[in-house]
Amino acid sequence: MSEEPSEPSGVSDPSGASGASTPSGAAETAGAPTAAEPSADRAPTPRQPSPDAASPTTGAPVAAPVASSPRPQAPPPRQAPPPHPGGPWQPPVKRPSATAKLRPAAPPPAPPAVLAAVLATAVLSALLLGDGLGVNLLIVAVPAALAAAFAAREAGRRLRPWTATWAVGGLALLAVPALRDAGWPTFLAVVSAFALGSLALHGSRSWPGVLIGSVGLLDSIGPGVRWGWRGVRERADDSRGRWATGIRTTAVALALLVVFGTLFASADAAFADLLGRLIPDVSIVDGPWRTFLFLVGLVGALAAARTAAAPVRWDGLTVKPGKPRARMEWALPLIVLNLLFAAFITLQLVVLLGGYEKVREATGLDHAQYARQGFWQLLWATLLTLLVIALALRWAPRGSARDRTLVRAVLGTLCVLTLVVVASALRRMDLYVDEYGLTRLRISVAAMELWLGIVFVLILAAGVFGARFLPRAIAVSAGAAVLAFGLISPDAVVAEQNVRRFEDRGSIDLAYLRDLSADAVPALDRLPEPQRSCALRTVQRELRGSDSPWYATSWGEARAAEILRERPVTVDRGTCYGLGTDGVREGEREGEQDGYERDREEYDPY
């Protein structure tokens, strides 16, 4: 039972009845304020229970509480600002950025399979990519692709035909460094492989999606690192004992490999040589460089996997079409341009069909000068025609079937005439190469002109079958063109053409051929001496001074090294210096000995 409160002093009620008397003079003075009637000149106080008030439960009087200082009042609620004149006040809302609207929800933390593939990519990058490029780039790309595949499967994404096309094309492009030694086709192949891989992860199909999606993987670097770290933390919290077991198992396996591998290598020289060629040579001096490559592989694989799990939908970016123009306002300039193309092509057909002598009488130019004068102008005309078509489609009339028929007729005619211009430019390049030989620049621009012709064929097909496939088709054609350009080995084609010209005309530019890569060795090996040795001196010096391991050596380098081991360079540097640019020994020229002394450091002692 709870103890009842004591009664106030001066009150005697042993029975505990409820009719207790009040203190003397408590409220009997006339005009005195009561608790219920506060004085007008005094601030009201909180109402206190009367000393003789009865308890609502027991009926016993309750003691009055002890007087204390008033409690601090809570601050008044913050008043909202006055309503806006145009309506009720609303808090400001921050609009999301255009990129934020395209981002899906963050995926769950990275699963163990993805983390394992990412770690394998980083380790292989540190071990294999420090000595150059070869098949090692393809080896490193395989676990990175597996990490992206595991992440996509975990996120519920399905493999679609276009995604498979981008992925296979990207991996195929990485075969170019494994097969060719030339640096410029390798650079184009690596950049194109990155673009196709990014498209495979994003699944883009529109023009903004294809253009931005090809480099959109860079946008996932930061989110990919955070996503991977969340996955590591979650797995570490869930399986602390498994981590310790895995570390112990790995340490024991490495110890066994090191001990027994060392014993076997000491017992057999052939086995030691095999291990020396297979195992990467990692030293403490290379530590910073290897660490950087490890981080590059780690971050790149995480970005690829994060993109596969939750790609940014770049297809959501839309470009508003231009305001349609009237038929005559739109079509008249293009019709005039078509007439200009037709007049130019008529003259080209006269030249191509044998009427060059008339043109020569009017211009005074031979075949080579005529070809050189016009090729670059025709190349620029082809590029500008693409720009004209893009702008014309933006402002084309599209209100009725007649408008669409007009657009197809005018632009289709322009594409067909441009294809003839492409053929004319390639014919001019063929004339120039036949006169002066093939070079890297000439074969590169000719390949670009040929690809532009393919683009115009795709535009014509889009006018017939619809333009929905056009962005992806042009991207595929670009990747295929880069792959074909690398596989045909441009340096080998240049060497083959120049060797054939030497066999037909007896002249060759050895100074230029010396700078070709090892891919040109099989063709240059057919030259007679001393031209052969003079053309191969630089390649032999570079191959003998190279100690690249197997994974950083291309097939072109390996084949060139084998040819030069069987038939090494035999002539001395003085003999090569005496050969002119036509490959034929010249007589003593004024200043030749001085030039020989200045350039003698260029030649190796072999």
Side-chain angles (χ1 to χ4, degrees):
M1 294 176 64
S2 60
E3 182 179 357
E4 294 183 2
S6 60
E7 298 194 14
S9 59
V11 177
S12 176
D13 190 0
S15 64
S18 59
S21 60
T22 59
S24 58
E28 298 176 358
T29 307
T34 63
E37 297 177 357
S39 172
D41 58 347
R42 187 171 56 184
T45 59
R47 185 173 183 178
Q48 301 293 340
S50 176
D52 55 351
S55 170
T57 56
T58 64
V62 180
V66 180
S68 60
S69 59
R71 295 181 180 178
Q73 298 294 327
R78 187 175 181 181
Q79 299 294 331
H84 193 269
W89 178 85
Q90 295 291 339
V93 178
K94 184 178 181 181
R95 296 182 179 179
S97 62
T99 306
K101 297 178 182 179
L102 307 177
R103 297 182 185 277
V114 173
L115 295 177
V118 167
L119 182 60
T121 304
V123 172
L124 290 175
S125 298
L127 294 178
L128 303 182
L129 296 183
D131 300 304
L133 296 182
V135 70
N136 51 2
L137 199 58
L138 186 59
I139 294 174
V140 172
V142 170
L146 290 177
F150 294 152
R153 184 183 62 183
E154 189 73 16
R157 296 184 64 188
R158 294 180 300 172
L159 181 64
R160 300 182 181 275
W162 276 105
T163 302
T165 301
W166 303 128
V168 172
L171 292 176
L173 283 166
L174 294 181
V176 173
L179 298 176
R180 303 302 175 214
D181 177 52
W184 49 302
T186 296
F187 173 78
L188 292 176
V190 172
V191 172
S192 301
F194 176 85
L196 293 188
S198 184
L199 288 175
L201 297 173
H202 288 89
S204 302
R205 64 180 64 186
S206 64
W207 278 114
V210 170
L211 294 177
I212 303 178
S214 60
V215 295
L217 187 61
L218 300 176
D219 185 70
S220 299
I221 292 178
V225 173
R226 293 190 294 270
W227 177 67
W229 176 245
R230 286 195 295 116
V232 170
R233 290 184 59 183
E234 182 173 301
R235 300 303 178 272
D237 294 338
D238 294 343
S239 56
R240 294 183 182 275
R242 297 178 184 177
W243 283 96
T245 303
I247 293 174
R248 287 195 302 269
T249 303
T250 304
V252 172
L254 289 177
L256 292 175
L257 287 176
V258 171
V259 172
F260 285 94
T262 303
L263 292 176
F264 290 151
S266 302
D268 190 289
F271 185 76
D273 182 67
L274 178 63
L275 286 181
R277 285 182 293 166
L278 292 179
I279 299 177
D281 185 13
V282 180
S283 61
I284 299 179
V285 178
D286 297 335
W289 174 238
R290 302 285 180 176
T291 303
F292 173 75
L293 292 175
F294 178 88
L295 294 177
V296 169
L298 183 71
V299 172
L302 284 175
R306 172 64 170 76
T307 305
V312 179
R313 299 300 181 184
W314 298 112
D315 285 334
L317 295 175
T318 57
V319 180
K320 295 182 180 180
K323 182 180 179 181
R325 305 295 181 180
R327 293 178 185 174
M328 290 304 299
E329 180 184 1
W330 177 87
L332 183 59
L334 294 179
I335 293 175
V336 172
L337 182 62
N338 285 339
L339 293 176
L340 177 63
F341 269 64
F344 176 80
I345 288 170
T346 301
L347 178 61
Q348 298 302 298
L349 291 177
V350 171
V351 175
L352 293 176
L353 294 178
Y356 174 74
E357 294 301 329
K358 297 181 179 179
V359 178
R360 182 175 183 179
E361 294 177 0
T363 61
L365 301 176
D366 58 19
H367 279 79
Q369 293 172 339
Y370 180 75
R372 182 176 183 178
Q373 183 191 47
F375 174 80
W376 293 104
Q377 289 85 341
L378 295 183
L379 178 61
W380 279 108
T382 306
L383 293 173
L384 290 177
T385 303
L386 284 177
L387 179 61
V388 169
I389 292 175
L391 295 177
L393 288 174
R394 179 173 176 81
W395 291 303
R398 44 187 176 270
S400 62
R402 292 182 61 186
D403 291 333
R404 291 190 289 272
T405 301
L406 176 65
V407 170
R408 291 177 179 177
V410 174
L411 294 185
T413 303
L414 182 60
C415 288
V416 172
L417 295 176
T418 306
L419 285 176
V420 181
V421 172
V422 170
S424 175
L426 292 175
R427 175 56 180 164
R428 286 170 180 262
M429 177 57 69
D430 182 64
L431 293 174
Y432 191 71
V433 168
D434 184 66
E435 184 69 23
Y436 295 105
L438 190 61
T439 63
R440 289 173 170 175
L441 178 61
R442 294 164 192 167
I443 193 175
S444 299
V445 295
M448 181 179 178
E449 184 75 23
L450 183 61
W451 174 69
L452 289 175
I454 296 174
V455 170
F456 280 102
V457 172
L458 292 176
I459 294 175
L460 285 172
V464 177
F465 302 105
R468 184 178 180 182
F469 73 95
L470 186 59
R472 290 178 290 183
I474 291 180
V476 167
S477 69
V482 173
L483 178 61
F485 188 69
L487 293 181
I488 66 172
S489 184
D491 279 13
V493 175
V494 170
E496 180 70 29
Q497 197 273 345
N498 281 273
V499 170
R500 188 164 56 249
R501 286 183 69 252
F502 178 76
E503 294 172 348
D504 296 339
R505 303 184 182 184
S507 62
I508 191 170
D509 189 352
L510 295 177
Y512 181 81
L513 297 180
R514 276 204 310 262
D515 296 330
L516 297 179
S517 65
D519 298 333
V521 170
L524 297 178
D525 186 56
R526 302 204 323 260
L527 289 172
E529 295 292 353
Q531 286 81 9
R532 174 189 175 275
S533 294
C534 294
L536 297 177
R537 293 179 64 82
T538 303
V539 176
Q540 178 174 283
R541 181 176 66 245
E542 292 176 353
L543 291 178
R544 290 187 177 182
S546 174
D547 56 350
S548 299
W550 64 273
Y551 49 80
T553 301
S554 65
W555 178 70
E557 288 179 285
R559 184 176 57 169
E562 181 180 359
I563 291 175
L564 291 175
R565 276 196 302 268
E566 296 176 356
R567 297 181 57 196
V569 171
T570 57
V571 300
D572 57 11
R573 57 187 179 184
T575 302
C576 292
Y577 186 80
L579 295 177
T581 57
D582 58 353
V584 180
R585 178 175 296 280
E586 300 177 355
E588 292 293 331
R589 298 188 303 270
E590 183 178 357
E592 182 179 271
Q593 294 300 324
D594 295 338
Y596 171 77
E597 294 297 333
R598 288 194 306 267
D599 298 339
R600 67 177 184 273
E601 297 298 333
E602 179 183 354
Y603 299 95
D604 62 280
Y606 300 113

